[in-house]
Amino acid sequence: MLKKILIIGACGQIGTELTQKLRNLYGNDAVIASDIREGNKKLMKSGPFELVNAMDYDTILQVVEQYNIQEVYLMAAMLSATGEKFPEKAWDLNMTSLFNVLNLAKEGKIKKLFWPSSIAVFGPTTPKENTPQETIMEPTTVYGISKQTGERWCEYYYKKYDVDVRSIRYPGIISWKTKPGGGTTDYAVEIFHSALLIGKYTSFLSEETKLPMMYMDDAIAATIAIMNAKPATIKIRSSYNLAAMSFTPKEIAETIKKIVPEFKITYNPDFRQQIANSWPSSINDSKARKHWGWKPKYNLTSMTETMLKNLHAKYKIL
């Protein structure tokens, strides 16, 4: 029997590219995209799509039964910066959606579940450099609080009900295909568009704010790799640290200038600076590398070259 996959939150920054990659791997009809709104034309035309509110258990169950779904990727969430504006809504969305899919797995409706955590689970008391897998977590944002709580529930459902749930702590994700979704690391996406379109950018983080980042292709590869790994190799059922590169706004600007020499950057930190200050500067992901073979392909230089090349073509810049 062919594997059937449901992606909830398929129209977001990560969900859009994850959907396309999974459809390329398993076939368009094997991957059902869903979201509370329709996505871009390519996603909508490439395979099945269902309107689904991640907080509506009955609708999710209906889609699972209709398509005989075995695996669910829950990508719907309210991110850090947006969540600070709407804290109760962020908590409700992030937690209710997780309980919905955990309970589907508990009841035997699905066999396997992916749920993303984030570096937002860490806080100002966490060691900032080479942050270990197990460490102090005192998150200061509602997004981070919901992710830390979610990790504990994932582990609980695995131990108590044998739910096959798998998770990774995403760093900042950088992509040229889709717009970011209201996160504190969004500057590292916006800066590339501004460099090519107007030749300048004002960063909402200070020049020396170093944060863990990852190119989208690596994030998608890691997500699929952990889901395809044999159950015995997944020894952490809360969430795995994941890393690729760490840099500051100043460092990414200097890398961009090597290709776009006239590019200028200025700094005007806003409320997101306080969020960034509470997060690690670099992540130790040795357990993900050891347990299921994780290894990134992109560094700051190769990611910058790829982003500018693709955006250059997208905007038809001569």
Side-chain angles (χ1 to χ4, degrees):
M1 186 172 63
L2 290 175
K3 178 163 63 175
K4 286 292 189 77
I5 298 167
L6 172 64
I7 303 176
I8 301 172
C11 299
Q13 184 195 15
I14 301 175
T16 298
E17 297 194 41
L18 177 63
T19 300
Q20 294 299 152
K21 182 64 175 180
L22 287 170
R23 283 178 172 169
N24 290 342
L25 289 171
Y26 300 116
N28 291 344
D29 292 338
V31 181
I32 290 73
S34 72
D35 210 309
I36 200 166
R37 58 180 172 81
E38 293 189 349
N40 64 39
K41 290 180 181 179
K42 184 177 180 181
L43 181 141
M44 298 300 294
K45 288 181 179 179
S46 66
F49 179 85
E50 297 286 341
L51 283 173
V52 170
N53 181 343
M55 298 173 69
D56 184 349
Y57 177 86
D58 291 337
T59 302
I60 299 171
L61 175 59
Q62 182 181 338
V63 172
V64 164
E65 292 180 338
Q66 178 184 344
Y67 290 95
N68 192 27
I69 299 295
Q70 287 97 48
E71 297 183 7
V72 171
Y73 291 73
L74 175 58
M75 310 309 292
M78 191 177 292
L79 302 184
S80 58
T82 307
E84 290 308 285
K85 298 176 183 177
F86 310 101
E88 290 186 13
K89 287 183 179 179
W91 174 263
D92 287 344
L93 170 59
N94 295 353
M95 297 312 302
T96 301
S97 60
L98 174 58
F99 277 122
N100 283 342
V101 291
L102 283 172
N103 285 327
L104 279 174
K106 173 189 170 185
E107 293 155 14
K109 303 293 185 182
I110 58 174
K111 294 179 180 178
K112 196 188 299 184
L113 165 65
F114 177 82
W115 173 79
S117 189
S118 163
I119 59 169
V121 298
F122 302 119
T125 55
T126 302
K128 291 189 79 68
E129 293 290 343
N130 203 31
T131 302
Q133 175 67 44
E134 292 91 12
T135 188
I136 298 168
M137 292 184 186
E138 294 182 330
T140 57
T141 64
V142 67
Y143 178 64
I145 293 166
S146 71
K147 288 298 185 184
Q148 185 198 26
T149 307
E151 287 190 13
R152 303 274 63 81
W153 278 112
C154 287
E155 188 175 63
Y156 181 87
Y157 268 71
Y158 169 72
K159 290 181 176 178
K160 187 87 171 177
Y161 307 117
D162 199 30
V163 166
D164 189 355
V165 57
R166 304 170 184 210
S167 178
I168 50 183
R169 294 169 180 155
Y170 286 134
I173 305 297
I174 300 168
S175 169
W176 62 272
K177 291 182 181 178
T178 49
K179 293 181 179 179
T184 301
T185 56
D186 286 357
Y187 89 86
V189 179
E190 296 170 357
I191 193 170
F192 289 104
H193 295 264
S194 295
L196 289 179
L197 293 176
I198 60 175
K200 60 183 180 178
Y201 180 67
T202 300
S203 171
F204 55 74
L205 298 181
S206 68
E207 63 178 347
E208 298 301 334
T209 305
K210 183 181 175 184
L211 290 171
M213 299 282 188
M214 179 174 290
Y215 186 54
M216 179 66 84
D217 287 13
D218 276 339
I220 298 298
T223 303
I224 294 171
I226 193 172
M227 282 294 274
N228 286 340
K230 292 180 180 179
T233 67
I234 309 301
K235 302 181 187 301
I236 296 169
R237 294 292 181 155
S238 51
S239 193
Y240 275 94
N241 274 3
L242 199 73
M245 63 188 99
S246 289
F247 54 78
T248 66
K250 183 179 180 180
E251 287 170 338
I252 193 174
E254 291 299 323
T255 309
I256 290 171
K257 285 179 184 178
K258 292 176 183 177
I259 302 173
V260 187
E262 66 276 15
F263 175 63
K264 300 272 194 301
I265 187 168
T266 55
Y267 303 92
N268 184 26
D270 64 13
F271 74 98
R272 288 167 284 195
Q273 182 65 52
Q274 189 173 358
I275 298 174
N277 289 345
S278 73
W279 289 354
S281 300
S282 60
I283 298 290
N284 183 327
D285 62 354
S286 57
K287 292 196 174 179
R289 293 171 186 250
K290 180 181 178 182
H291 293 176
W292 44 276
W294 158 245
K295 188 178 180 182
K297 291 184 177 179
Y298 288 86
N299 58 26
L300 177 56
T301 298
S302 58
M303 182 267 294
T304 299
E305 291 171 351
T306 303
M307 285 289 291
L308 290 174
K309 177 183 177 182
N310 283 291
L311 287 175
H312 202 275
K314 180 179 180 178
Y315 290 127
K316 298 180 173 61
I317 298 170
L318 298 177

